[in-house]
Amino acid sequence: MAKLTVLTSSYNTKDYLKSYFKSAGRQTFTNFEIAFESIQPTPKEHIIIEKAKQKYKFINLKTHQVKIPLPQAWNSAIDRTKSELICIWNVDDLRTINSLDNMVQVFEKQKEIDFVYGNFTVTNKFKKTKGNYVNLTGKENELRKSMLLGPFFMFRRSVLDQIGYFDEQLLSGADYDFAMRLGRRCEGKHIDINLGYFLNKRSGLSTNENSLQEIERTVVEIRYDIDVLNNSLIEEAKTKYMISKYSYKGEYVNFGDFLG
């Protein structure tokens, strides 16, 4: 059975940590580690995390004393692990009990598949299980232009050789950008089940009122030749961001064939 690394970044997440770790401990799939990037933890967060480490052996902790952006945390977690499979799981989202298991099974049975995604439920309150059910069935043709993968997608580590890492200059749009490369270069599989509960309190990196989501969406649209929704942002996007390169470990890397 393949080993899985879960990418998790934690910053100011005290209210979610206990439930997050408890949910992870209930997963029916157990051959995983959580590459937990703890960013400037408060004393209370530190206590919760340390207690969780004693209880759950799957926690692979790295603590950052300075604030770093989410894609940098994800890349840090990738670089210090070696598993065959990788997935994202944010602290304020909760997966269904067999979420990881159902996704890993696809990779075990279909060796040609590079990434897996499924349906999810959007809620406005943590631990709530009723909300807007997002069914992505039959939308595979949109993978090259929309963020269809949702908050729980999983991929093979080997795809990094084809598409590169998360772009660290995109503070809220790095997952969208990564998804565009996956959809263009790799073979994906949708599974028609609810993978978990995505919290949208309009306070996240891509959902709060001061979000960079719109300008960074424009960067991605220009980069992959997608119809730009807000033309007034084109010049600003080209001025503030390196469109033809992505940022990784403080350096800008040429996309090369990644943009194809």
Side-chain angles (χ1 to χ4, degrees), residues 78 83-86 107 111-116 149 153-166 178-179 181-183 185-188 246 258:
I78 290 172
S83 64
E84 177 184 344
L85 302 177
I86 299 172
F107 293 105
K111 300 301 182 182
E112 76 280 7
I113 295 300
D114 299 309
F115 65 94
V116 175
L149 301 188
F153 67 94
M154 187 180 294
F155 56 93
R156 294 190 192 275
R157 182 179 294 270
S158 58
V159 306
L160 298 172
D161 295 331
Q162 302 178 58
I163 69 171
Y165 284 69
F166 291 98
F178 191 81
R181 283 177 269 150
L182 272 177
R185 297 297 304 275
C186 305
E187 185 71 25
Y246 76 93
F258 299 160

Side-chain angles (χ1 to χ4, degrees), residues 80-246:
R80 64 188 182 85
T81 57
K82 296 181 179 181
S83 64
E84 177 184 344
L85 302 177
I86 299 172
C87 75
I88 291 174
W89 186 351
N90 293 323
V91 174
D92 57 355
D93 299 330
L94 294 176
R95 285 180 177 266
T96 54
I97 192 171
N98 56 359
S99 178
L100 297 180
D101 204 353
N102 283 325
M103 301 184 84
V104 171
Q105 288 300 324
V106 175
F107 293 105
E108 291 293 314
K109 297 175 181 178
Q110 298 179 252
K111 300 301 182 182
E112 76 280 7
I113 295 300
D114 299 309
F115 65 94
V116 175
Y117 64 105
N119 306 332
F120 57 96
T121 302
V122 180
T123 70
N124 58 12
K125 186 176 181 180
F126 187 56
K127 295 195 288 188
K128 186 177 179 181
T129 58
K130 292 184 179 180
N132 178 33
Y133 185 61
V134 180
N135 189 338
L136 301 174
T137 304
K139 296 185 179 181
E140 290 82 358
N141 62 331
E142 298 181 33
L143 284 171
R144 295 169 63 93
K145 62 181 180 180
S146 301
M147 181 51 189
L148 268 264
L149 301 188
F152 301 115
F153 67 94
M154 187 180 294
F155 56 93
R156 294 190 192 275
R157 182 179 294 270
S158 58
V159 306
L160 298 172
D161 295 331
Q162 302 178 58
I163 69 171
Y165 284 69
F166 291 98
D167 187 352
E168 294 173 6
Q169 63 181 317
L170 300 177
L171 301 184
S172 71
D175 54 349
Y176 178 29
D177 173 73
F178 191 81
M180 292 302 94
R181 283 177 269 150
L182 272 177
R184 281 162 171 74
R185 297 297 304 275
C186 305
E187 185 71 25
K189 173 75 174 182
H190 169 264
I191 50 177
D192 188 16
I193 61 172
N194 181 37
L195 294 176
Y197 307 95
F198 169 70
L199 178 64
N200 184 3
K201 292 176 63 178
R202 307 301 299 176
S203 60
L205 284 172
S206 62
T207 56
N208 70 71
E209 61 181 6
N210 297 315
S211 171
L212 294 169
Q213 190 273 336
E214 191 171 12
I215 182 67
E216 293 191 357
R217 183 199 66 217
T218 304
V219 171
V220 175
E221 290 167 342
I222 297 170
R223 180 175 280 171
Y224 301 101
D225 196 24
I226 302 169
D227 290 340
V228 177
L229 295 180
N230 189 343
N231 288 318
S232 67
L233 294 174
I234 292 178
E235 289 306 313
E236 181 182 358
K238 290 182 177 180
T239 300
K240 292 184 176 181
Y241 297 86
M242 294 285 287
I243 303 293
S244 62
K245 299 182 179 182
Y246 76 93

